[in-house]
Amino acid sequence: MAAVQETIDQVALIDVDQYKYGFETKIEMDKAPKGLSEEIIRFISAKKQEPEWMLEWRLEAYRRWLTLEEPTWARVNYPKIDFNDIYYYAAPKSTPGPTSIDDVDPEILKVYEKLGIPLREQEMLAGVKTSRIAVDAVFDSVSVVTTFKEELKKAGVIFMSISEAIREHPDLVRKYLGSVVPTTDNYYATLNSAVFTDGSFVLVPKGVRCPMELSTYFRINEKNTGQFERTLIIAEEGAYVSYLEGCTAPQRDENQLHAAVVELVALDDAEIKYSTVQNWYPGDKNGKGGIYNFVTKRGDCRGKNSKISWTQVETGSAITWKYPSCILRGDGSRGEFYSIAVSNGHQQIDSGTKMIHLGKNTSSRIISKGIAAGVSQNTYRGQVSTHRRAENARNFTQCDSLLIGDKCGAHTVPYIEARNASAQFEHEATTSKISEDQLFYCLQRGIPEEAAIALIVNGFVKEVIQELPMEFAVEAQKLIGISLEGSVG
Amino acid sequence: MLEIKNLHARIAEDGTEIIRGLDLTVKAGEVAAIMGPNGSGKSTLSYILSGREDYEVTEGDILYNGESILELDPSERAAKGIFLAFQYPVEIPGVATMQFLKVALNEQRKYRGEEELSTPDFIRRVKEASARLQINPDMLKRPLNVGFSGGEKKRAEILQMALLEPKLCVLDETDSGLDIDALKIVADGVNALRSPDRAVVVITHYQRLLEYIVPDSVHVLYKGQIIKSGDKSLALDLEANGYADIIDAAA
């Protein structure tokens, strides 16, 4: 008893207070007035020098949003959000849009340096890092810099902020934007469509394998500011791209809203691998503050034999509401969802996926690992469905939950709908606790308690960690350790 | 090496006293066998030696190399060289046996202020030790103890013992669940570790194991006390006549 109790106490004490990205940077910001109205949307659109159609698109979404009700079906509790008490646009005055690295405010560069995000191409080329990653850095409402743009351009890959893409490639954006997550999709996605400020745009042309990993790093810095990013990734026929997303925010007493939309489109034989390490500020040990993370992520396997793979490591946010999904439209297409969701302190996670089988011979695989500690609640919610005409759909789902302590909860809510008799769906679920015996066994071999918990937890999540790109895998393992323990951070 | 003096201990949760005034001395180089009927406190003794927090020592002391270890937590005791081979080794899903061995070895080295082992050096040691125990290298890639047969689990325990090079080895019913071939392999593994600076405490129910691991001393544990000590002939005597006479004589 005693050993485990001590662990629980320790975890409860340190938990979320260990957040090491909680610093705030004083930067002069250009902000829209607080609140949400058609005026504000016009303001954002004008700031971004958007074409008329884009403004109309936003306004239509806004009018739609006014008729919608906030969804309440998720297993999360939070006070009603006052959408008029939020700033919808905040941009550093000195760097109001993407520019070259030399023009970025040094204060902002320092932020990314502190976060360990490489923005200087020379430094990366100097061989400090063995692999190169192109980064789009989004600071509050704007992208401040995108690296390796020229080199990617040579390969034919378009990688830029979505604001730039709307100006430079309006036809492409218009063709794909909202084609996976329509403006009418859901409350938060509709809100995002109205007020989104920045995000990344990627297009990998036919037959091209993107020569490096692409990533976007999101930072919310400004107080009371919502971040509404929009990411659109298109892999044309036979293309391949691996994309990473990371995020952090300062430590604040107030809750902040993050409502993103990510759309992926994979054409024939294309593959998109999308990995996220979500590390928004989770709130303090009393449950005060933290990010409300309401995200709509969806991939459309539009072409035959296309593949979309989501991998996520969720350790941050006070509230997480997120279901990265795949629409398996093309015949022979494949969808994957690998997830590790760690909740501690007062965090609440309601996350999972949807695999919608529409084409023939489609397959999907879901591996979800939830770890709950403190007084947190951790829910997996997943839907697997086949259309009437989707012959030979296959799904394998495995949901495992690990509990640390006896005040947290793990819940699994699968929705399985097979409308075609040839479908083969498998679902496995387990819930376990780190046992007294496991802990004592490790201790007896000379492994101290914290290292023992890290070892057991990393064993538990191993299947998912293996799916992450190498650089992220190490980072994710450390992050899980920090989220669950004190001394490591 | 090990001196247990008038030890009294109880289950922390409900206060049931299990060890009631136990005295035992085991010298470096000695192999001591602890025998006794079910419920006499044999396994409890192994847990108390290794520091499991489910038990409370209420009186007496345990000296290891002349120092009391009662205040040390289990991982510190392990790093100082106390090893317990479990009767029921625990499964650690997702953690490859190899990885577990490496973490354990390096954590112990860290505690003792030694350098971490290099990977080639580590692999060489594992290969040598596992070959002696006839352990298939594929087994080391599997998660520790998950899906292992009874024999594989016990061999994995002895492999860990060989690699960690403890000074005091406590074997808790290592013979349980082993067929005769596996028993020989395990006993050979233990015998290979016998050395003048290492002590072994063999806890067992049956004399069978002691045919292969021949003890220097045999102690009979009953109701939390050592009621009789002798040489290896005591084990044979117990095998032939049972515990009843000794228990009656002690009472």
Side-chain angles (χ1 to χ4, degrees):
Chain A
M1 280 299 128
V4 164
Q5 189 53 48
E6 209 172 280
T7 309
I8 294 164
D9 294 347
Q10 222 168 0
V11 167
L13 265 182
I14 50 89
D15 61 23
V16 287
D17 284 358
Q18 293 295 324
Y19 191 69
K20 69 172 190 183
Y21 304 107
F23 62 89
E24 180 186 350
T25 312
K26 290 268 178 273
I27 284 168
E28 219 186 325
M29 298 296 277
D30 184 12
K31 277 195 279 195
K34 235 184 203 181
L36 183 53
S37 65
E38 293 205 3
E39 282 321 295
I40 292 290
I41 292 166
R42 285 176 199 281
F43 175 92
I44 293 171
S45 189
K47 274 280 172 197
K48 303 212 165 267
Q49 300 155 31
E50 289 176 352
E52 188 61 26
W53 64 265
M54 194 67 246
L55 174 64
E56 281 310 315
W57 199 83
R58 286 174 180 276
L59 289 172
E60 201 187 300
Y62 174 64
R63 287 169 200 141
R64 171 96 189 183
W65 181 74
L66 290 174
T67 68
L68 297 177
E69 300 242 343
E70 213 175 323
T72 52
W73 44 261
R75 199 185 169 94
V76 288
N77 286 301
Y78 55 95
K80 214 164 166 45
I81 298 170
D82 182 354
F83 289 94
N84 277 314
D85 195 31
I86 295 172
Y87 290 106
Y88 287 84
Y89 181 84
K93 261 192 182 155
S94 51
T95 314
T99 160
S100 90
I101 188 88
D102 301 319
D103 299 333
V104 178
D105 186 336
E107 283 301 314
I108 295 175
L109 287 181
K110 269 189 211 159
V111 171
Y112 287 93
E113 213 167 279
K114 228 168 151 176
L115 296 168
I117 310 301
L119 291 186
R120 291 188 182 275
E121 293 176 19
Q122 311 89 290
E123 282 168 20
M124 286 184 279
L125 293 169
V128 187
K129 296 224 162 195
T130 45
S131 63
R132 294 176 308 156
I133 301 175
V135 181
D136 181 19
V138 177
F139 195 81
D140 288 324
S141 304
V142 295
S143 163
V144 290
V145 71
T146 309
T147 63
F148 288 109
K149 257 170 115 168
E150 287 310 308
E151 195 173 330
L152 287 166
K153 207 172 166 184
K154 274 181 218 152
V157 175
I158 304 174
F159 179 43
M160 56 176 62
S161 76
I162 194 136
S163 307
E164 266 183 294
I166 290 168
R167 291 194 297 270
E168 291 182 25
H169 303 283
D171 296 344
L172 279 175
V173 175
R174 206 169 176 177
K175 181 174 172 190
Y176 289 106
L177 189 72
S179 73
V180 186
V181 179
T183 52
T184 52
D185 195 77
N186 71 72
Y187 189 78
Y188 298 104
T190 305
L191 175 64
N192 174 288
S193 301
V195 301
F196 76 86
T197 43
D198 226 329
S200 301
F201 176 82
V202 177
L203 184 131
V204 185
K206 192 170 172 175
V208 171
R209 196 178 164 88
C210 189
M212 61 181 86
E213 305 260 356
L214 305 182
S215 84
T216 304
Y217 198 86
F218 296 97
R219 174 75 178 172
I220 300 180
N221 191 60
E222 198 56 20
K223 214 169 175 173
N224 289 324
T225 300
Q227 192 175 57
F228 304 92
E229 91 253 9
R230 186 106 195 175
T231 292
L232 177 57
I233 299 175
I234 302 133
E236 291 188 347
E237 291 82 356
Y240 169 85
V241 61
S242 169
Y243 180 92
L244 325 170
E245 173 203 288
C247 35
T248 58
Q251 218 155 330
R252 293 183 194 292
D253 287 350
E254 309 88 38
N255 296 105
Q256 277 178 292
L257 182 62
H258 174 257
V261 172
V262 174
E263 297 177 272
L264 312 182
V265 179
L267 302 182
D268 289 356
D269 304 303
E271 180 175 349
I272 302 174
K273 188 172 165 65
Y274 192 106
S275 314
T276 307
V277 172
Q278 187 265 107
N279 189 21
W280 295 116
Y281 176 56
D284 71 6
K285 66 170 183 288
N286 300 314
K288 205 171 175 200
I291 301 285
Y292 290 166
N293 192 30
F294 295 95
V295 174
T296 305
K297 290 183 168 176
R298 194 173 302 150
D300 187 356
C301 286
R302 208 165 279 181
K304 63 176 171 33
N305 301 322
S306 54
K307 180 179 171 188
I308 289 178
S309 173
W310 298 99
T311 305
Q312 59 171 24
V313 177
E314 303 280 318
T315 61
S317 297
I319 306 275
T320 300
W321 182 98
K322 180 181 168 188
Y323 315 90
S325 305
C326 295
I327 300 169
L328 303 168
R329 197 186 304 275
D331 289 347
S333 58
R334 275 187 296 161
E336 292 176 344
F337 174 75
Y338 297 99
S339 170
I340 298 171
V342 182
S343 58
N344 197 355
H346 288 256
Q347 284 177 275
Q348 302 175 59
I349 296 182
D350 193 302
S351 182
T353 184
K354 289 186 203 174
M355 292 292 172
I356 313 293
H357 294 256
L358 301 178
K360 293 184 174 66
N361 304 315
T362 52
S363 62
S364 59
R365 181 175 162 86
I366 299 169
I367 309 284
S368 164
K369 303 276 180 176
I371 300 160
V375 291
S376 66
Q377 294 295 328
N378 200 325
T379 303
Y380 166 83
R381 190 182 299 277
Q383 182 183 6
V384 178
S385 74
T386 46
H387 187 265
R388 271 187 304 119
R389 283 195 284 268
E391 295 289 332
N392 299 320
R394 280 166 183 270
N395 165 267
F396 174 76
T397 300
Q398 187 185 331
C399 295
D400 298 324
S401 308
L402 186 69
L403 300 168
I404 301 176
D406 54 7
K407 293 188 179 66
C408 51
H411 318 274
T412 301
V413 191
Y415 303 81
I416 300 167
E417 299 165 25
R419 294 212 183 83
N420 183 304
S422 65
Q424 281 188 36
F425 291 170
E426 289 173 68
H427 182 97
E428 288 178 10
T430 66
T431 301
S432 54
K433 284 180 86 163
I434 290 187
S435 76
E436 195 82 27
D437 288 342
Q438 282 177 327
L439 205 54
F440 175 65
Y441 188 86
C442 294
L443 288 170
Q444 208 300 308
R445 296 303 185 247
I447 305 170
E449 191 158 321
E450 287 197 348
I453 290 175
L455 187 71
I456 295 167
V457 168
N458 277 317
F460 176 73
V461 300
K462 193 175 161 201
E463 274 175 282
V464 177
I465 293 279
Q466 282 170 339
E467 295 298 324
L468 286 170
M470 194 58 119
E471 303 81 12
F472 255 31
V474 178
E475 193 60 26
Q477 264 172 326
K478 274 195 227 154
L479 194 56
I480 292 164
I482 291 167
S483 302
L484 290 171
E485 297 169 38
S487 66
V488 188
Chain B
M1 173 160 287
L2 175 68
E3 271 179 274
I4 303 176
K5 291 178 174 171
N6 188 31
L7 190 71
H8 290 257
R10 62 187 185 194
I11 298 173
E13 203 171 21
D14 60 13
T16 311
E17 190 167 52
I18 310 277
I19 304 294
R20 306 179 174 95
L22 187 146
D23 289 287
L24 178 71
T25 302
V26 183
K27 291 195 282 291
E30 183 178 339
V31 174
I34 311 261
M35 301 184 72
N38 281 334
S40 58
K42 298 193 300 292
S43 285
T44 300
L45 177 62
S46 72
Y47 286 143
I48 291 170
L49 284 174
S50 49
R52 188 157 187 157
E53 298 197 19
D54 298 348
Y55 302 93
E56 265 174 21
V57 171
T58 51
E59 212 185 316
D61 207 348
I62 302 172
L63 304 181
Y64 170 67
N65 290 330
E67 284 175 43
S68 173
I69 55 168
L70 293 181
E71 295 301 316
L72 300 179
D73 79 28
S75 67
E76 293 171 312
R77 295 185 197 196
K80 282 180 179 290
I82 298 177
F83 182 94
L84 169 63
F86 283 66
Q87 182 177 5
Y88 304 108
V90 179
E91 297 182 359
I92 315 278
V95 179
T97 305
M98 200 73 164
Q99 184 197 357
F100 183 85
L101 291 172
K102 196 172 179 193
V103 171
L105 196 57
N106 281 329
E107 287 289 349
Q108 291 203 9
R109 295 177 72 93
K110 200 158 89 185
Y111 178 85
R112 297 193 292 256
E114 297 164 11
E115 291 238 336
E116 285 198 1
L117 273 189
S118 73
T119 303
D121 202 12
F122 166 74
I123 289 174
R124 187 180 49 78
R125 289 192 193 199
V126 175
K127 273 189 178 159
E128 283 170 13
S130 51
R132 272 203 303 276
L133 290 160
Q134 300 178 29
I135 287 172
N136 183 338
D138 282 344
M139 189 181 114
L140 301 176
K141 294 179 192 154
R142 285 155 55 195
L144 184 65
N145 293 326
V146 178
F148 284 16
S149 70
E152 283 175 327
K153 282 184 184 173
K154 294 296 165 76
R155 266 183 281 170
E157 291 291 287
I158 304 304
L159 172 66
Q160 293 180 55
M161 192 164 97
L163 282 172
L164 295 170
E165 300 178 319
K167 291 285 173 266
L168 174 63
C169 309
V170 182
L171 310 180
D172 185 11
E173 308 262 3
T174 293
D175 48 334
S176 69
L178 289 188
D179 61 37
I180 197 73
D181 293 330
L183 186 71
K184 277 183 186 160
I185 294 168
V186 165
D188 286 348
V190 175
N191 287 328
L193 288 171
R194 290 177 84 145
S195 90
D197 61 351
R198 181 175 287 134
V200 183
V201 175
V202 183
I203 292 172
T204 185
H205 210 75
Y206 301 106
Q207 137 54 27
R208 189 178 70 153
L209 178 66
L210 303 180
E211 285 173 27
Y212 301 97
I213 304 173
V214 181
D216 300 304
S217 60
V218 175
H219 309 269
V220 178
L221 181 63
Y222 181 68
K223 288 191 175 169
Q225 282 183 325
I226 300 293
I227 56 167
K228 191 175 172 75
S229 298
D231 61 14
K232 63 184 177 195
S233 63
L234 177 57
L236 295 171
D237 187 33
L238 287 171
E239 179 82 355
N241 304 317
Y243 291 103
D245 292 349
I246 294 172
I247 290 169
D248 287 346

